[in-house]
Amino acid sequence: MQQQIKITNIIKLSGAYIAYLIGSGFATGQEVMQFFASFGVYGILGALVSAVLFCLLGSTLMMKGYDLQLKQPGRIFKYYCGNIVGTIIEYFTIVFIFSIVVIMIAGTGAVVAEQFHLPNLVGVLGMGVVAMLTVILGLNKLVDIIGTVGPIIVILTIGICLIVFSSNIGNLSNMLYLPESAKSLQPTNHWWQSGGLFFCYNILAGSIFFSQLGQQSNSKKEAGVTGIIGGAVLMLTVIVMIIALLVHSNHVFDLEVPVLYLGNTIAPFIALLFSVCILLGIYSTTAPMYWLVKNEFMKLVPSKLGVLVTVVLGIIFIICGTLPFGELVSIIYPFVGYVGAIVVVIIFVRTLYNYFTQKQKA
């Protein structure tokens, strides 16, 4: 049977893949600054490590999602890790995803305060309510929305960062000499470890969504191609952002939202455009992760209470979103990355085991 591939569906699904992972830490530049730019030019090599891993495992998870067609996408961990370990990891991941939604909403408050000089609470409330309304619409509508948002964010981010870099060719020496504040942000001792860690905590949060996304592919081959394209374009965006941050290394490492500074170096209008890009990035991660958390809670209550559960969760997210953004990123992400590393090893081992077992049977 021919493996059907539709370019339009690949674009939509890879856009959703990218948008899901961008989030506030990425879009504001905090994640990219801490995990990559803090290592200087070696951070680019760390990003290439992440890129290879995203392409390999992202495509693997999407193809497996297409094969399994799980009604409860969190069960993907039980498939790879067994019932006991899989259940533990599933619930840990949901708690982590809950914390990411909090970070996303807190990041909105930071952007609104820094760029628009409005109270932090305006951004927190705004993102909380918009995400809540999106989740009420359901998953299919959600994928359509963020599948469109993803490519827009990528185009805007790459375009603006390239303009920043080309406008500051004379500052290339900044890429080689980093301030002490940069080293204090490094989550690990080595650039390759940081690249692996960035991938691991993202894939832990992404495993459930990617397996669900794979089900919306027209074929297993289409799911695999989508995973590769999504991972490659995501990390291309990261690399361009690293370069733009490094040419301004003497300024950005002490900022909560470094990409707004980058935009302002060109023109206030560009900073405004970047702030819109950031808010889209935050939204594109907040809404699907919010949906995943809500979906887990719906296992415990009747389906008719779906809207009530969504609203209650929204209120909790908004209250927790008043916590400090930068500190949340630096504490939660590295810790979860090490848990994600264990899951990544298990997935790779299980995939290789399945491959060689099927080969022997053939």
Side-chain angles (χ1 to χ4, degrees), residues 61-87:
L61 286 166
M62 287 196 65
M63 288 189 291
K64 189 52 65 178
Y66 177 83
D67 282 340
L68 297 177
Q69 296 291 316
L70 296 170
K71 291 183 179 179
Q72 295 291 341
R75 299 286 169 83
I76 190 71
F77 294 117
K78 290 184 178 179
Y79 170 80
Y80 282 111
C81 308
N83 284 334
I84 297 175
V85 176
T87 300

PDB file of all heavy atoms in Angstrom, residues 61-87:
ATOM      1  N   LEU A  61       8.585   9.159  17.514  1.00  0.00           N
ATOM      2  CA  LEU A  61       7.373   9.273  18.325  1.00  0.00           C
ATOM      3  C   LEU A  61       6.143   9.527  17.454  1.00  0.00           C
ATOM      4  O   LEU A  61       5.062   8.995  17.734  1.00  0.00           O
ATOM      5  CB  LEU A  61       7.533  10.399  19.350  1.00  0.00           C
ATOM      6  CG  LEU A  61       8.459  10.083  20.529  1.00  0.00           C
ATOM      7  CD1 LEU A  61       8.814  11.347  21.298  1.00  0.00           C
ATOM      8  CD2 LEU A  61       7.804   9.068  21.467  1.00  0.00           C
ATOM      9  N   MET A  62       6.289  10.319  16.416  1.00  0.00           N
ATOM     10  CA  MET A  62       5.143  10.588  15.560  1.00  0.00           C
ATOM     11  C   MET A  62       4.735   9.336  14.773  1.00  0.00           C
ATOM     12  O   MET A  62       3.542   9.055  14.613  1.00  0.00           O
ATOM     13  CB  MET A  62       5.450  11.750  14.617  1.00  0.00           C
ATOM     14  CG  MET A  62       5.468  13.093  15.336  1.00  0.00           C
ATOM     15  SD  MET A  62       5.371  14.514  14.241  1.00  0.00           S
ATOM     16  CE  MET A  62       3.746  14.336  13.523  1.00  0.00           C
ATOM     17  N   MET A  63       5.725   8.575  14.298  1.00  0.00           N
ATOM     18  CA  MET A  63       5.397   7.335  13.589  1.00  0.00           C
ATOM     19  C   MET A  63       4.747   6.320  14.525  1.00  0.00           C
ATOM     20  O   MET A  63       3.807   5.613  14.142  1.00  0.00           O
ATOM     21  CB  MET A  63       6.652   6.745  12.944  1.00  0.00           C
ATOM     22  CG  MET A  63       7.146   7.536  11.739  1.00  0.00           C
ATOM     23  SD  MET A  63       8.460   6.704  10.808  1.00  0.00           S
ATOM     24  CE  MET A  63       9.816   6.783  11.984  1.00  0.00           C
ATOM     25  N   LYS A  64       5.235   6.253  15.757  1.00  0.00           N
ATOM     26  CA  LYS A  64       4.640   5.325  16.715  1.00  0.00           C
ATOM     27  C   LYS A  64       3.229   5.771  17.096  1.00  0.00           C
ATOM     28  O   LYS A  64       2.338   4.934  17.294  1.00  0.00           O
ATOM     29  CB  LYS A  64       5.528   5.236  17.965  1.00  0.00           C
ATOM     30  CG  LYS A  64       5.116   4.142  18.951  1.00  0.00           C
ATOM     31  CD  LYS A  64       4.978   2.783  18.279  1.00  0.00           C
ATOM     32  CE  LYS A  64       6.288   2.256  17.741  1.00  0.00           C
ATOM     33  NZ  LYS A  64       6.118   0.903  17.134  1.00  0.00           N
ATOM     34  N   GLY A  65       3.019   7.075  17.173  1.00  0.00           N
ATOM     35  CA  GLY A  65       1.669   7.587  17.430  1.00  0.00           C
ATOM     36  C   GLY A  65       0.715   7.201  16.324  1.00  0.00           C
ATOM     37  O   GLY A  65      -0.438   6.839  16.575  1.00  0.00           O
ATOM     38  N   TYR A  66       1.191   7.239  15.069  1.00  0.00           N
ATOM     39  CA  TYR A  66       0.369   6.821  13.931  1.00  0.00           C
ATOM     40  C   TYR A  66       0.046   5.332  14.025  1.00  0.00           C
ATOM     41  O   TYR A  66      -1.091   4.909  13.786  1.00  0.00           O
ATOM     42  CB  TYR A  66       1.093   7.119  12.628  1.00  0.00           C
ATOM     43  CG  TYR A  66       0.333   6.648  11.405  1.00  0.00           C
ATOM     44  CD1 TYR A  66      -0.671   7.436  10.862  1.00  0.00           C
ATOM     45  CD2 TYR A  66       0.615   5.403  10.825  1.00  0.00           C
ATOM     46  CE1 TYR A  66      -1.387   6.985   9.744  1.00  0.00           C
ATOM     47  CE2 TYR A  66      -0.087   4.958   9.719  1.00  0.00           C
ATOM     48  CZ  TYR A  66      -1.094   5.745   9.187  1.00  0.00           C
ATOM     49  OH  TYR A  66      -1.815   5.302   8.097  1.00  0.00           O
ATOM     50  N   ASP A  67       1.043   4.518  14.397  1.00  0.00           N
ATOM     51  CA  ASP A  67       0.847   3.065  14.504  1.00  0.00           C
ATOM     52  C   ASP A  67      -0.133   2.691  15.609  1.00  0.00           C
ATOM     53  O   ASP A  67      -1.021   1.858  15.424  1.00  0.00           O
ATOM     54  CB  ASP A  67       2.187   2.371  14.777  1.00  0.00           C
ATOM     55  CG  ASP A  67       3.047   2.248  13.527  1.00  0.00           C
ATOM     56  OD1 ASP A  67       2.497   2.341  12.418  1.00  0.00           O
ATOM     57  OD2 ASP A  67       4.275   2.074  13.675  1.00  0.00           O
ATOM     58  N   LEU A  68       0.055   3.298  16.790  1.00  0.00           N
ATOM     59  CA  LEU A  68      -0.695   2.872  17.981  1.00  0.00           C
ATOM     60  C   LEU A  68      -2.103   3.453  18.052  1.00  0.00           C
ATOM     61  O   LEU A  68      -2.997   2.818  18.615  1.00  0.00           O
ATOM     62  CB  LEU A  68       0.082   3.253  19.252  1.00  0.00           C
ATOM     63  CG  LEU A  68       1.456   2.589  19.429  1.00  0.00           C
ATOM     64  CD1 LEU A  68       2.137   3.127  20.685  1.00  0.00           C
ATOM     65  CD2 LEU A  68       1.320   1.069  19.506  1.00  0.00           C
ATOM     66  N   GLN A  69      -2.285   4.682  17.521  1.00  0.00           N
ATOM     67  CA  GLN A  69      -3.604   5.341  17.580  1.00  0.00           C
ATOM     68  C   GLN A  69      -4.185   5.316  19.003  1.00  0.00           C
ATOM     69  O   GLN A  69      -5.313   4.866  19.229  1.00  0.00           O
ATOM     70  CB  GLN A  69      -4.568   4.675  16.588  1.00  0.00           C
ATOM     71  CG  GLN A  69      -4.177   4.803  15.130  1.00  0.00           C
ATOM     72  CD  GLN A  69      -4.293   6.217  14.595  1.00  0.00           C
ATOM     73  OE1 GLN A  69      -5.281   6.912  14.857  1.00  0.00           O
ATOM     74  NE2 GLN A  69      -3.285   6.650  13.859  1.00  0.00           N
ATOM     75  N   LEU A  70      -3.415   5.796  19.948  1.00  0.00           N
ATOM     76  CA  LEU A  70      -3.817   5.763  21.354  1.00  0.00           C
ATOM     77  C   LEU A  70      -4.940   6.757  21.648  1.00  0.00           C
ATOM     78  O   LEU A  70      -4.866   7.926  21.267  1.00  0.00           O
ATOM     79  CB  LEU A  70      -2.617   6.095  22.257  1.00  0.00           C
ATOM     80  CG  LEU A  70      -1.440   5.116  22.222  1.00  0.00           C
ATOM     81  CD1 LEU A  70      -0.251   5.715  22.959  1.00  0.00           C
ATOM     82  CD2 LEU A  70      -1.840   3.790  22.837  1.00  0.00           C
ATOM     83  N   LYS A  71      -5.968   6.288  22.340  1.00  0.00           N
ATOM     84  CA  LYS A  71      -7.043   7.197  22.760  1.00  0.00           C
ATOM     85  C   LYS A  71      -6.574   8.087  23.910  1.00  0.00           C
ATOM     86  O   LYS A  71      -7.022   9.216  24.065  1.00  0.00           O
ATOM     87  CB  LYS A  71      -8.282   6.397  23.166  1.00  0.00           C
ATOM     88  CG  LYS A  71      -8.960   5.701  21.997  1.00  0.00           C
ATOM     89  CD  LYS A  71     -10.226   4.982  22.437  1.00  0.00           C
ATOM     90  CE  LYS A  71     -10.900   4.315  21.243  1.00  0.00           C
ATOM     91  NZ  LYS A  71     -12.130   3.583  21.632  1.00  0.00           N
ATOM     92  N   GLN A  72      -5.700   7.542  24.741  1.00  0.00           N
ATOM     93  CA  GLN A  72      -5.072   8.321  25.813  1.00  0.00           C
ATOM     94  C   GLN A  72      -3.587   8.468  25.455  1.00  0.00           C
ATOM     95  O   GLN A  72      -2.804   7.542  25.683  1.00  0.00           O
ATOM     96  CB  GLN A  72      -5.227   7.608  27.169  1.00  0.00           C
ATOM     97  CG  GLN A  72      -6.658   7.492  27.669  1.00  0.00           C
ATOM     98  CD  GLN A  72      -7.239   8.853  28.056  1.00  0.00           C
ATOM     99  OE1 GLN A  72      -6.524   9.807  28.283  1.00  0.00           O
ATOM    100  NE2 GLN A  72      -8.563   8.911  28.125  1.00  0.00           N
ATOM    101  N   PRO A  73      -3.172   9.613  24.892  1.00  0.00           N
ATOM    102  CA  PRO A  73      -1.791   9.753  24.399  1.00  0.00           C
ATOM    103  C   PRO A  73      -0.719   9.583  25.473  1.00  0.00           C
ATOM    104  O   PRO A  73       0.417   9.225  25.160  1.00  0.00           O
ATOM    105  CB  PRO A  73      -1.768  11.174  23.819  1.00  0.00           C
ATOM    106  CG  PRO A  73      -2.947  11.871  24.408  1.00  0.00           C
ATOM    107  CD  PRO A  73      -3.972  10.812  24.636  1.00  0.00           C
ATOM    108  N   GLY A  74      -1.078   9.796  26.739  1.00  0.00           N
ATOM    109  CA  GLY A  74      -0.118   9.602  27.822  1.00  0.00           C
ATOM    110  C   GLY A  74       0.338   8.156  27.950  1.00  0.00           C
ATOM    111  O   GLY A  74       1.384   7.865  28.548  1.00  0.00           O
ATOM    112  N   ARG A  75      -0.428   7.242  27.351  1.00  0.00           N
ATOM    113  CA  ARG A  75      -0.080   5.811  27.416  1.00  0.00           C
ATOM    114  C   ARG A  75       1.160   5.476  26.591  1.00  0.00           C
ATOM    115  O   ARG A  75       1.630   4.339  26.624  1.00  0.00           O
ATOM    116  CB  ARG A  75      -1.268   4.973  26.921  1.00  0.00           C
ATOM    117  CG  ARG A  75      -2.534   5.150  27.749  1.00  0.00           C
ATOM    118  CD  ARG A  75      -2.427   4.439  29.085  1.00  0.00           C
ATOM    119  NE  ARG A  75      -3.506   4.793  29.988  1.00  0.00           N
ATOM    120  CZ  ARG A  75      -4.711   4.242  29.991  1.00  0.00           C
ATOM    121  NH1 ARG A  75      -4.983   3.302  29.107  1.00  0.00           N
ATOM    122  NH2 ARG A  75      -5.613   4.613  30.867  1.00  0.00           N
ATOM    123  N   ILE A  76       1.653   6.446  25.834  1.00  0.00           N
ATOM    124  CA  ILE A  76       2.868   6.215  25.042  1.00  0.00           C
ATOM    125  C   ILE A  76       4.028   5.805  25.953  1.00  0.00           C
ATOM    126  O   ILE A  76       4.885   5.006  25.578  1.00  0.00           O
ATOM    127  CB  ILE A  76       3.246   7.479  24.226  1.00  0.00           C
ATOM    128  CG1 ILE A  76       4.359   7.166  23.213  1.00  0.00           C
ATOM    129  CG2 ILE A  76       3.652   8.633  25.131  1.00  0.00           C
ATOM    130  CD1 ILE A  76       3.943   6.320  22.071  1.00  0.00           C
ATOM    131  N   PHE A  77       4.044   6.299  27.193  1.00  0.00           N
ATOM    132  CA  PHE A  77       5.109   5.953  28.136  1.00  0.00           C
ATOM    133  C   PHE A  77       4.978   4.499  28.601  1.00  0.00           C
ATOM    134  O   PHE A  77       5.976   3.835  28.847  1.00  0.00           O
ATOM    135  CB  PHE A  77       5.099   6.894  29.340  1.00  0.00           C
ATOM    136  CG  PHE A  77       5.438   8.310  28.990  1.00  0.00           C
ATOM    137  CD1 PHE A  77       4.528   9.333  29.175  1.00  0.00           C
ATOM    138  CD2 PHE A  77       6.678   8.626  28.462  1.00  0.00           C
ATOM    139  CE1 PHE A  77       4.843  10.641  28.852  1.00  0.00           C
ATOM    140  CE2 PHE A  77       7.013   9.935  28.129  1.00  0.00           C
ATOM    141  CZ  PHE A  77       6.084  10.945  28.320  1.00  0.00           C
ATOM    142  N   LYS A  78       3.747   4.017  28.718  1.00  0.00           N
ATOM    143  CA  LYS A  78       3.544   2.615  29.099  1.00  0.00           C
ATOM    144  C   LYS A  78       4.029   1.692  27.987  1.00  0.00           C
ATOM    145  O   LYS A  78       4.555   0.609  28.260  1.00  0.00           O
ATOM    146  CB  LYS A  78       2.070   2.345  29.402  1.00  0.00           C
ATOM    147  CG  LYS A  78       1.571   2.999  30.691  1.00  0.00           C
ATOM    148  CD  LYS A  78       0.139   2.611  30.993  1.00  0.00           C
ATOM    149  CE  LYS A  78      -0.330   3.234  32.295  1.00  0.00           C
ATOM    150  NZ  LYS A  78      -1.735   2.897  32.603  1.00  0.00           N
ATOM    151  N   TYR A  79       3.845   2.099  26.753  1.00  0.00           N
ATOM    152  CA  TYR A  79       4.309   1.289  25.623  1.00  0.00           C
ATOM    153  C   TYR A  79       5.827   1.126  25.691  1.00  0.00           C
ATOM    154  O   TYR A  79       6.354   0.026  25.497  1.00  0.00           O
ATOM    155  CB  TYR A  79       3.904   1.940  24.299  1.00  0.00           C
ATOM    156  CG  TYR A  79       4.561   1.283  23.106  1.00  0.00           C
ATOM    157  CD1 TYR A  79       4.068   0.096  22.578  1.00  0.00           C
ATOM    158  CD2 TYR A  79       5.709   1.828  22.537  1.00  0.00           C
ATOM    159  CE1 TYR A  79       4.683  -0.527  21.505  1.00  0.00           C
ATOM    160  CE2 TYR A  79       6.335   1.210  21.461  1.00  0.00           C
ATOM    161  CZ  TYR A  79       5.820   0.031  20.950  1.00  0.00           C
ATOM    162  OH  TYR A  79       6.444  -0.586  19.896  1.00  0.00           O
ATOM    163  N   TYR A  80       6.533   2.209  25.942  1.00  0.00           N
ATOM    164  CA  TYR A  80       7.994   2.170  25.931  1.00  0.00           C
ATOM    165  C   TYR A  80       8.596   1.688  27.252  1.00  0.00           C
ATOM    166  O   TYR A  80       9.634   1.016  27.253  1.00  0.00           O
ATOM    167  CB  TYR A  80       8.560   3.558  25.614  1.00  0.00           C
ATOM    168  CG  TYR A  80       8.505   3.913  24.149  1.00  0.00           C
ATOM    169  CD1 TYR A  80       7.652   4.907  23.684  1.00  0.00           C
ATOM    170  CD2 TYR A  80       9.305   3.253  23.222  1.00  0.00           C
ATOM    171  CE1 TYR A  80       7.601   5.237  22.335  1.00  0.00           C
ATOM    172  CE2 TYR A  80       9.255   3.569  21.867  1.00  0.00           C
ATOM    173  CZ  TYR A  80       8.406   4.557  21.432  1.00  0.00           C
ATOM    174  OH  TYR A  80       8.353   4.876  20.096  1.00  0.00           O
ATOM    175  N   CYS A  81       7.969   2.027  28.370  1.00  0.00           N
ATOM    176  CA  CYS A  81       8.602   1.808  29.684  1.00  0.00           C
ATOM    177  C   CYS A  81       7.928   0.735  30.538  1.00  0.00           C
ATOM    178  O   CYS A  81       8.399   0.463  31.647  1.00  0.00           O
ATOM    179  CB  CYS A  81       8.637   3.121  30.470  1.00  0.00           C
ATOM    180  SG  CYS A  81       9.352   4.503  29.569  1.00  0.00           S
ATOM    181  N   GLY A  82       6.832   0.163  30.062  1.00  0.00           N
ATOM    182  CA  GLY A  82       6.113  -0.805  30.877  1.00  0.00           C
ATOM    183  C   GLY A  82       5.061  -0.123  31.736  1.00  0.00           C
ATOM    184  O   GLY A  82       5.063   1.107  31.879  1.00  0.00           O
ATOM    185  N   ASN A  83       4.169  -0.917  32.337  1.00  0.00           N
ATOM    186  CA  ASN A  83       3.034  -0.350  33.070  1.00  0.00           C
ATOM    187  C   ASN A  83       3.440   0.469  34.287  1.00  0.00           C
ATOM    188  O   ASN A  83       2.971   1.589  34.485  1.00  0.00           O
ATOM    189  CB  ASN A  83       2.078  -1.467  33.509  1.00  0.00           C
ATOM    190  CG  ASN A  83       1.241  -1.981  32.351  1.00  0.00           C
ATOM    191  OD1 ASN A  83       0.993  -1.264  31.393  1.00  0.00           O
ATOM    192  ND2 ASN A  83       0.835  -3.235  32.430  1.00  0.00           N
ATOM    193  N   ILE A  84       4.328  -0.066  35.128  1.00  0.00           N
ATOM    194  CA  ILE A  84       4.664   0.615  36.382  1.00  0.00           C
ATOM    195  C   ILE A  84       5.497   1.869  36.124  1.00  0.00           C
ATOM    196  O   ILE A  84       5.107   2.979  36.505  1.00  0.00           O
ATOM    197  CB  ILE A  84       5.416  -0.338  37.346  1.00  0.00           C
ATOM    198  CG1 ILE A  84       4.507  -1.512  37.725  1.00  0.00           C
ATOM    199  CG2 ILE A  84       5.871   0.422  38.589  1.00  0.00           C
ATOM    200  CD1 ILE A  84       5.189  -2.575  38.568  1.00  0.00           C
ATOM    201  N   VAL A  85       6.649   1.682  35.461  1.00  0.00           N
ATOM    202  CA  VAL A  85       7.524   2.831  35.177  1.00  0.00           C
ATOM    203  C   VAL A  85       6.814   3.816  34.256  1.00  0.00           C
ATOM    204  O   VAL A  85       6.906   5.041  34.440  1.00  0.00           O
ATOM    205  CB  VAL A  85       8.860   2.367  34.548  1.00  0.00           C
ATOM    206  CG1 VAL A  85       9.719   3.568  34.168  1.00  0.00           C
ATOM    207  CG2 VAL A  85       9.610   1.461  35.513  1.00  0.00           C
ATOM    208  N   GLY A  86       6.084   3.299  33.271  1.00  0.00           N
ATOM    209  CA  GLY A  86       5.366   4.160  32.335  1.00  0.00           C
ATOM    210  C   GLY A  86       4.336   5.034  33.018  1.00  0.00           C
ATOM    211  O   GLY A  86       4.192   6.212  32.687  1.00  0.00           O
ATOM    212  N   THR A  87       3.615   4.453  33.983  1.00  0.00           N
ATOM    213  CA  THR A  87       2.613   5.219  34.732  1.00  0.00           C
ATOM    214  C   THR A  87       3.273   6.319  35.549  1.00  0.00           C
ATOM    215  O   THR A  87       2.785   7.460  35.598  1.00  0.00           O
ATOM    216  CB  THR A  87       1.802   4.293  35.656  1.00  0.00           C
ATOM    217  OG1 THR A  87       1.147   3.297  34.864  1.00  0.00           O
ATOM    218  CG2 THR A  87       0.760   5.086  36.431  1.00  0.00           C
TER     219      THR A  87
END
